[in-house]
Short mmCIF file of all heavy atoms in Angstrom, two decimals:
data_model
loop_
_atom_site.label_atom_id
_atom_site.label_comp_id
_atom_site.label_asym_id
_atom_site.label_seq_id
_atom_site.Cartn_x
_atom_site.Cartn_y
_atom_site.Cartn_z
N LEU L 43 -233.43 112.38 -79.99
CA LEU L 43 -234.78 112.42 -80.56
C LEU L 43 -235.63 113.47 -79.87
O LEU L 43 -235.60 113.59 -78.65
CB LEU L 43 -235.48 111.05 -80.40
CG LEU L 43 -235.15 110.01 -81.45
CD1 LEU L 43 -233.73 109.57 -81.37
CD2 LEU L 43 -236.09 108.87 -81.36
N GLU L 44 -236.26 114.25 -80.69
CA GLU L 44 -237.15 115.36 -80.22
C GLU L 44 -238.59 114.88 -80.36
O GLU L 44 -239.03 114.65 -81.44
CB GLU L 44 -236.88 116.62 -81.01
CG GLU L 44 -237.80 117.76 -80.73
CD GLU L 44 -237.63 118.90 -81.75
OE1 GLU L 44 -236.85 118.73 -82.70
OE2 GLU L 44 -238.31 119.92 -81.61
N PHE L 45 -239.30 114.86 -79.28
CA PHE L 45 -240.71 114.46 -79.30
C PHE L 45 -241.56 115.50 -80.04
O PHE L 45 -241.36 116.71 -79.85
CB PHE L 45 -241.25 114.35 -77.86
CG PHE L 45 -242.73 114.30 -77.71
CD1 PHE L 45 -243.46 113.18 -78.06
CD2 PHE L 45 -243.41 115.44 -77.27
CE1 PHE L 45 -244.85 113.17 -77.97
CE2 PHE L 45 -244.79 115.44 -77.13
CZ PHE L 45 -245.46 114.27 -77.46
N LEU L 46 -242.43 115.02 -80.92
CA LEU L 46 -243.37 115.91 -81.65
C LEU L 46 -244.74 115.81 -81.21
O LEU L 46 -245.41 116.77 -80.79
CB LEU L 46 -243.22 115.61 -83.15
CG LEU L 46 -241.86 115.86 -83.81
CD1 LEU L 46 -241.86 115.45 -85.29
CD2 LEU L 46 -241.44 117.29 -83.67
N ILE L 47 -245.35 114.58 -81.30
CA ILE L 47 -246.79 114.42 -81.06
C ILE L 47 -247.04 112.96 -80.64
O ILE L 47 -246.32 112.10 -81.05
CB ILE L 47 -247.61 114.83 -82.28
CG1 ILE L 47 -249.13 114.84 -81.99
CG2 ILE L 47 -247.34 113.88 -83.47
CD1 ILE L 47 -249.95 115.49 -83.03
N TYR L 48 -248.08 112.77 -79.86
CA TYR L 48 -248.43 111.44 -79.30
C TYR L 48 -249.95 111.22 -79.44
O TYR L 48 -250.72 112.13 -79.06
CB TYR L 48 -248.01 111.43 -77.83
CG TYR L 48 -248.59 110.47 -76.95
CD1 TYR L 48 -248.57 109.08 -77.22
CD2 TYR L 48 -249.21 110.78 -75.66
CE1 TYR L 48 -249.10 108.12 -76.37
CE2 TYR L 48 -249.68 109.83 -74.82
CZ TYR L 48 -249.63 108.54 -75.18
OH TYR L 48 -250.19 107.57 -74.31
N PHE L 49 -250.35 110.09 -79.94
CA PHE L 49 -251.73 109.62 -80.06
C PHE L 49 -251.86 108.41 -79.11
O PHE L 49 -251.08 107.52 -79.15
CB PHE L 49 -252.05 109.22 -81.48
CG PHE L 49 -251.99 110.31 -82.47
CD1 PHE L 49 -250.74 110.54 -83.19
CD2 PHE L 49 -253.09 111.05 -82.78
CE1 PHE L 49 -250.74 111.56 -84.11
CE2 PHE L 49 -253.03 112.04 -83.77
CZ PHE L 49 -251.80 112.26 -84.42
N GLN L 50 -252.95 108.44 -78.32
CA GLN L 50 -253.29 107.29 -77.52
C GLN L 50 -254.74 106.96 -77.74
O GLN L 50 -255.61 107.76 -77.26
CB GLN L 50 -252.96 107.52 -76.06
CG GLN L 50 -253.39 106.46 -75.09
CD GLN L 50 -252.73 105.12 -75.29
OE1 GLN L 50 -253.08 104.38 -76.29
NE2 GLN L 50 -251.77 104.77 -74.47
N GLY L 51 -255.06 105.86 -78.42
CA GLY L 51 -256.44 105.44 -78.62
C GLY L 51 -257.23 106.57 -79.23
O GLY L 51 -256.87 107.17 -80.19
N ASN L 52 -258.41 106.80 -78.69
CA ASN L 52 -259.32 107.85 -79.18
C ASN L 52 -259.20 109.17 -78.48
O ASN L 52 -259.95 110.07 -78.75
CB ASN L 52 -260.81 107.33 -79.10
CG ASN L 52 -261.04 106.13 -79.99
OD1 ASN L 52 -260.51 106.04 -81.09
ND2 ASN L 52 -261.79 105.18 -79.42
N SER L 53 -258.18 109.27 -77.59
CA SER L 53 -258.06 110.54 -76.83
C SER L 53 -257.46 111.60 -77.72
O SER L 53 -256.89 111.32 -78.78
CB SER L 53 -257.07 110.25 -75.67
OG SER L 53 -257.55 109.29 -74.83
N ALA L 54 -257.65 112.84 -77.32
CA ALA L 54 -257.08 113.97 -78.08
C ALA L 54 -255.57 113.84 -78.03
O ALA L 54 -254.99 113.48 -77.01
CB ALA L 54 -257.47 115.33 -77.41
N PRO L 55 -254.91 114.06 -79.20
CA PRO L 55 -253.43 113.96 -79.20
C PRO L 55 -252.72 114.94 -78.34
O PRO L 55 -253.21 116.05 -78.17
CB PRO L 55 -253.07 114.06 -80.72
CG PRO L 55 -254.24 114.85 -81.25
CD PRO L 55 -255.42 114.42 -80.50
N ASP L 56 -251.56 114.54 -77.86
CA ASP L 56 -250.66 115.47 -77.16
C ASP L 56 -249.77 116.15 -78.21
O ASP L 56 -248.82 115.47 -78.72
CB ASP L 56 -249.83 114.70 -76.13
CG ASP L 56 -248.85 115.57 -75.40
OD1 ASP L 56 -248.65 116.79 -75.82
OD2 ASP L 56 -248.22 115.07 -74.45
N LYS L 57 -250.00 117.36 -78.57
CA LYS L 57 -249.30 118.05 -79.60
C LYS L 57 -248.19 118.99 -79.05
O LYS L 57 -247.68 119.84 -79.77
CB LYS L 57 -250.27 118.96 -80.42
CG LYS L 57 -251.48 118.23 -81.00
CD LYS L 57 -252.36 119.19 -81.78
CE LYS L 57 -253.56 118.50 -82.33
NZ LYS L 57 -254.44 119.40 -83.00
N SER L 58 -247.88 118.75 -77.77
CA SER L 58 -247.00 119.77 -77.14
C SER L 58 -245.61 119.92 -77.70
O SER L 58 -244.94 120.88 -77.53
CB SER L 58 -246.89 119.45 -75.60
OG SER L 58 -246.33 118.12 -75.51
N GLY L 59 -245.18 118.95 -78.50
CA GLY L 59 -243.86 118.93 -79.06
C GLY L 59 -243.76 119.55 -80.51
O GLY L 59 -242.68 119.76 -81.05
N LEU L 60 -244.86 119.83 -81.13
CA LEU L 60 -244.86 120.35 -82.46
C LEU L 60 -244.17 121.70 -82.47
O LEU L 60 -244.63 122.58 -81.69
CB LEU L 60 -246.29 120.43 -83.03
CG LEU L 60 -246.96 119.15 -83.27
CD1 LEU L 60 -248.42 119.39 -83.81
CD2 LEU L 60 -246.22 118.27 -84.23
N PRO L 61 -243.16 121.91 -83.34
CA PRO L 61 -242.36 123.16 -83.23
C PRO L 61 -243.04 124.38 -83.81
O PRO L 61 -242.61 125.50 -83.40
CB PRO L 61 -241.12 122.82 -84.06
CG PRO L 61 -241.54 121.75 -85.01
CD PRO L 61 -242.61 120.94 -84.29
N SER L 62 -244.04 124.27 -84.65
CA SER L 62 -244.72 125.40 -85.20
C SER L 62 -246.02 124.96 -85.77
O SER L 62 -246.32 123.77 -85.88
CB SER L 62 -243.89 126.07 -86.30
OG SER L 62 -243.94 125.38 -87.45
N ASP L 63 -246.89 125.91 -86.15
CA ASP L 63 -248.21 125.58 -86.73
C ASP L 63 -248.08 125.06 -88.15
O ASP L 63 -249.07 124.72 -88.74
CB ASP L 63 -249.18 126.77 -86.64
CG ASP L 63 -248.67 127.99 -87.36
OD1 ASP L 63 -247.61 127.88 -88.06
OD2 ASP L 63 -249.26 129.04 -87.26
N ARG L 64 -246.87 124.98 -88.67
CA ARG L 64 -246.73 124.39 -90.02
C ARG L 64 -246.75 122.81 -89.90
O ARG L 64 -246.88 122.15 -90.90
CB ARG L 64 -245.37 124.79 -90.62
CG ARG L 64 -245.24 126.29 -90.98
CD ARG L 64 -243.93 126.56 -91.69
NE ARG L 64 -242.76 126.34 -90.93
CZ ARG L 64 -241.96 125.32 -91.15
NH1 ARG L 64 -242.22 124.39 -92.10
NH2 ARG L 64 -240.89 125.15 -90.37
N PHE L 65 -246.64 122.36 -88.69
CA PHE L 65 -246.56 120.93 -88.46
C PHE L 65 -247.96 120.45 -87.99
O PHE L 65 -248.55 121.12 -87.04
CB PHE L 65 -245.53 120.52 -87.41
CG PHE L 65 -244.16 120.62 -87.87
CD1 PHE L 65 -243.59 121.89 -88.06
CD2 PHE L 65 -243.39 119.49 -88.10
CE1 PHE L 65 -242.19 121.97 -88.47
CE2 PHE L 65 -242.06 119.53 -88.56
CZ PHE L 65 -241.45 120.85 -88.73
N SER L 66 -248.47 119.35 -88.51
CA SER L 66 -249.72 118.78 -88.04
C SER L 66 -249.68 117.31 -88.26
O SER L 66 -248.88 116.81 -89.05
CB SER L 66 -250.94 119.40 -88.75
OG SER L 66 -250.87 119.14 -90.16
N ALA L 67 -250.50 116.58 -87.54
CA ALA L 67 -250.55 115.15 -87.72
C ALA L 67 -251.92 114.65 -87.43
O ALA L 67 -252.69 115.26 -86.69
CB ALA L 67 -249.55 114.45 -86.79
N GLU L 68 -252.27 113.56 -88.12
CA GLU L 68 -253.54 112.93 -87.85
C GLU L 68 -253.40 111.42 -87.77
O GLU L 68 -252.40 110.91 -88.32
CB GLU L 68 -254.60 113.33 -88.81
CG GLU L 68 -254.33 112.98 -90.25
CD GLU L 68 -255.43 113.35 -91.19
OE1 GLU L 68 -256.24 114.25 -90.93
OE2 GLU L 68 -255.50 112.74 -92.29
N ARG L 69 -254.33 110.77 -87.20
CA ARG L 69 -254.29 109.34 -87.14
C ARG L 69 -255.70 108.86 -87.43
O ARG L 69 -256.61 109.07 -86.67
CB ARG L 69 -253.86 108.87 -85.73
CG ARG L 69 -253.62 107.30 -85.69
CD ARG L 69 -253.16 106.91 -84.31
NE ARG L 69 -252.86 105.48 -84.38
CZ ARG L 69 -252.66 104.70 -83.33
NH1 ARG L 69 -252.66 105.28 -82.11
NH2 ARG L 69 -252.32 103.45 -83.46
N THR L 70 -255.84 108.17 -88.49
CA THR L 70 -257.16 107.78 -88.96
C THR L 70 -257.50 106.39 -88.50
O THR L 70 -256.62 105.44 -88.60
CB THR L 70 -257.28 107.84 -90.52
OG1 THR L 70 -256.15 107.08 -91.05
CG2 THR L 70 -257.10 109.26 -91.00
N GLY L 71 -258.64 106.26 -87.96
CA GLY L 71 -259.15 104.90 -87.55
C GLY L 71 -258.25 104.25 -86.51
O GLY L 71 -258.29 103.03 -86.34
N GLY L 72 -257.57 105.06 -85.76
CA GLY L 72 -256.68 104.54 -84.70
C GLY L 72 -255.50 103.67 -85.20
O GLY L 72 -254.87 102.97 -84.41
N SER L 73 -255.18 103.87 -86.49
CA SER L 73 -254.07 103.05 -87.02
C SER L 73 -253.06 103.90 -87.70
O SER L 73 -252.23 104.55 -87.06
CB SER L 73 -254.58 102.00 -87.98
OG SER L 73 -253.56 101.24 -88.50
N VAL L 74 -253.15 104.06 -89.03
CA VAL L 74 -252.16 104.77 -89.84
C VAL L 74 -252.16 106.27 -89.41
O VAL L 74 -253.21 106.87 -89.14
CB VAL L 74 -252.45 104.64 -91.28
CG1 VAL L 74 -251.60 105.55 -92.19
CG2 VAL L 74 -252.26 103.17 -91.73
N SER L 75 -250.93 106.82 -89.37
CA SER L 75 -250.84 108.29 -89.09
C SER L 75 -250.03 108.94 -90.18
O SER L 75 -249.17 108.39 -90.83
CB SER L 75 -250.06 108.42 -87.76
OG SER L 75 -249.86 109.82 -87.45
N THR L 76 -250.44 110.23 -90.36
CA THR L 76 -249.71 111.06 -91.31
C THR L 76 -249.22 112.34 -90.65
O THR L 76 -249.96 113.02 -89.94
CB THR L 76 -250.63 111.44 -92.50
OG1 THR L 76 -251.16 110.28 -93.12
CG2 THR L 76 -249.93 112.31 -93.56
N LEU L 77 -247.96 112.65 -90.85
CA LEU L 77 -247.35 113.87 -90.34
C LEU L 77 -247.24 114.80 -91.54
O LEU L 77 -246.62 114.42 -92.55
CB LEU L 77 -246.04 113.61 -89.68
CG LEU L 77 -245.24 114.89 -89.20
CD1 LEU L 77 -245.94 115.49 -88.03
CD2 LEU L 77 -243.84 114.49 -88.84
#
Side-chain angles (χ1 to χ4, degrees):
Chain L
L43 275 70
E44 174 190 4
F45 164 75
L46 296 177
I47 189 168
Y48 161 53
F49 297 88
Q50 175 61 284
N52 295 320
S53 302
D56 178 350
K57 304 179 182 179
S58 59
L60 294 178
S62 78
D63 59 7
R64 296 187 295 105
F65 287 72
S66 63
E68 62 178 22
R69 189 179 184 192
T70 53
S73 180
V74 172
S75 177
T76 302
L77 176 69

